[in-house]
Amino acid sequence: MVIPSPFVYWAQSSNSVSLKIDLRNAETPNIEVLENKIKFSAQGVGAHGICKYEFSLDLFAPIRSSKEGDQCINVKVYENRIDVVLDKDESVWWPRLTAQPQKPAWLKINFDQWKSEDDGGSEEETRDVMKDYPGMFDKLHKEELGYRKGILIFLSHRFDSTAKFIPPRPLLFL
């Protein structure tokens, strides 16, 4: 029997990686962090209902190993999710989370916490991803959802010369 993986949303800063594991009512999550790998397992409610969920990720670069009194992993268990923050070994931006170029289907980008290299660390300035990277947002959206959002407009109903009803035609604006 295949054990399902929960949806995992990730984001990064120059010195840490954050993972949001979409698992409700998680019971005693088991998280094991090695130098280049993270393993997770827990019983909870996810996309497949109540069952055991687990995943293993080979990370792009090493994570800082814990020393005496030094915390390299921060785990917070909430009712509807589990947040994990990992400290990077070196303060550099990763081009991706995983060592392999192909990401698993259950791994998503956490746009709520996403920061880029050129943000410059200013938290006060709110930026609009749509304006800053118009093509990139559409490309990522299509990758994640499999389609691009558009505006669907229905024209009002019409009648032909014999007073026969003609249903409205949808128009799609991209």
Side-chain angles (χ1 to χ4, degrees):
M1 183 172 122
V2 176
I3 299 175
S5 298
F7 285 113
V8 178
Y9 300 89
W10 81 283
Q12 70 173 319
S13 67
S14 62
N15 56 1
S16 68
V17 172
S18 68
L19 303 175
K20 180 177 86 169
I21 303 166
D22 191 13
L23 197 60
R24 291 181 286 133
N25 302 330
E27 298 172 8
T28 60
N30 180 19
I31 301 172
E32 184 180 342
V33 178
L34 305 171
E35 185 178 341
N36 279 31
K37 188 175 208 140
I38 181 169
K39 294 180 181 181
F40 170 86
S41 66
Q43 178 86 14
V45 181
H48 293 277
I50 300 173
C51 65
K52 182 177 181 177
Y53 291 85
E54 66 181 31
F55 70 84
S56 177
L57 279 173
D58 292 324
L59 300 171
F60 180 78
I63 295 297
R64 195 172 72 196
S65 60
S66 60
K67 299 171 186 163
E68 286 185 41
D70 191 17
Q71 189 83 12
C72 70
I73 178 172
N74 184 5
V75 179
K76 292 183 182 174
V77 180
Y78 297 98
E79 186 176 310
N80 62 344
R81 71 182 189 279
I82 301 164
D83 287 341
V84 180
V85 178
L86 306 167
D87 291 338
K88 294 179 182 177
D89 196 27
E90 296 179 18
S91 292
V92 294
W93 290 89
W94 295 355
R96 60 182 180 274
L97 178 64
T98 60
Q100 304 82 14
Q102 185 65 35
K103 72 174 186 63
W106 44 265
L107 183 62
K108 310 286 185 189
I109 295 171
N110 187 349
F111 286 107
D112 294 337
Q113 293 184 351
W114 190 259
K115 295 178 184 174
S116 66
E117 263 182 286
D118 55 353
D119 279 348
S122 78
E123 298 293 327
E124 300 153 8
E125 177 187 344
T126 58
R127 298 181 62 181
D128 186 5
V129 175
M130 296 285 286
K131 290 179 183 174
D132 292 345
Y133 307 99
M136 182 60 76
F137 184 81
D138 287 340
K139 180 181 173 238
L140 288 172
H141 195 269
K142 186 173 181 181
E143 270 182 26
E144 292 290 322
L145 299 177
Y147 63 90
R148 184 182 179 279
K149 281 188 180 177
I151 300 171
L152 188 62
I153 298 177
F154 285 93
L155 299 177
S156 63
H157 48 274
R158 304 173 291 142
F159 293 91
D160 65 6
S161 60
T162 61
K164 183 177 173 185
F165 176 74
I166 300 172
R169 295 181 297 180
L171 293 177
L172 181 62
F173 293 99
L174 299 176

